[in-house]
Amino acid sequence: MSEPTGKYSITMPRDIAEAAKARSGSAGLSAYVAAAVARQVERDSLNELIAVAEAEHGPVTDEEIQALRTGGRSVSGSAASGSGAAHSAAGIAEACQRERPGTPTESIEIVTPVWRLAKLFADDRGRVLREAGIDAATLDLLSVVRRSGPPYSVSTREIAQRTLVTAGAISQRVARAEREGLVRRTQGSAGRRTVLVHLTDDGHALIERSVDAVLGWEASLVQGLSESERTVLMHLLDKLMADVRRRTADGDAG
């Protein structure tokens, strides 16, 4: 049974509203905004838990952040043995239990490191992409077409399915990439409504250069794990991803 709903009036910048409408698909803008707000509430709740630990032990230091960026190598002195432990997910969970006994904290030591790693990876990938002269949306688009193999031609419908992005958002990405000379569009032979996206020479050169830069650097970021550790982690992440997708889908359906 679905949760009770209510009508609310909100104001947002027009460009954000239009982008949200383009991405909302058949679910509609209200569902898209509700999901976005729910994610923000989850982030705020996590930040509150982090704030509890930081109020007790102080903020995360630049030295600790740098240690994470360099592959998790331990920092020296008291920063490693003292405040570093306090800022760990275990420290946050312990502080939460102390301040709010009975609060379910089983997820903190998994979700908190995932959030922290996601931010580190996202920020660092953004830097690498800027240096390569490409944004994440264009990288996603060109990568799908490049992976299709010669003649590097994919329908907009296939691109939407492979990137999990709405058809409207894909149309916007393709139009922008075409203006920049990275792709060109043609009508497909299957029917007038089929649109094929082709890589241009400039688009091919850009995606080759960008993929080498991104994957080369990100490969170095996981070198702190052995090959066997990476294999175990990959399997566990796949298992967790599949289960979380199922549970969140069940929640949306309910």
Side-chain angles (χ1 to χ4, degrees), residues 153-159 174 184-189 191-198:
S153 175
V154 182
S155 72
T156 52
R157 175 174 295 184
E158 289 179 274
I159 294 173
V174 171
R184 60 183 178 85
R185 287 181 284 189
T186 63
Q187 184 175 304
S189 58
R192 293 183 177 180
R193 300 187 64 180
T194 302
V195 177
L196 297 178
V197 180
H198 312 264

Side-chain angles (χ1 to χ4, degrees), residues 73-86:
R73 292 192 292 271
S74 60
V75 294
S76 59
S78 61
S81 58
S83 62

Side-chain angles (χ1 to χ4, degrees), residues 206-217:
L206 177 60
I207 191 59
E208 294 293 291
R209 184 170 66 249
S210 301
V211 167
D212 286 344
V214 170
L215 297 187
W217 173 246

Side-chain angles (χ1 to χ4, degrees), residues 172-249:
Q172 293 179 0
R173 293 183 182 185
V174 171
R176 185 178 64 177
E178 189 172 40
R179 289 193 299 270
E180 295 173 354
L182 304 175
V183 301
R184 60 183 178 85
R185 287 181 284 189
T186 63
Q187 184 175 304
S189 58
R192 293 183 177 180
R193 300 187 64 180
T194 302
V195 177
L196 297 178
V197 180
H198 312 264
L199 272 183
T200 64
D201 289 343
D202 286 347
H204 191 280
L206 177 60
I207 191 59
E208 294 293 291
R209 184 170 66 249
S210 301
V211 167
D212 286 344
V214 170
L215 297 187
W217 173 246
E218 290 181 352
S220 71
L221 295 180
V222 299
Q223 288 304 305
L225 299 177
S226 67
E227 184 176 355
S228 61
E229 287 173 330
R230 292 196 297 272
T231 300
V232 170
L233 180 58
M234 286 187 291
H235 288 310
L236 291 175
L237 289 174
D238 284 344
K239 180 178 180 180
L240 180 61
M241 177 70 75
D243 189 59
V244 169
R245 280 178 171 167
R246 178 184 62 79
R247 291 175 185 273
T248 54

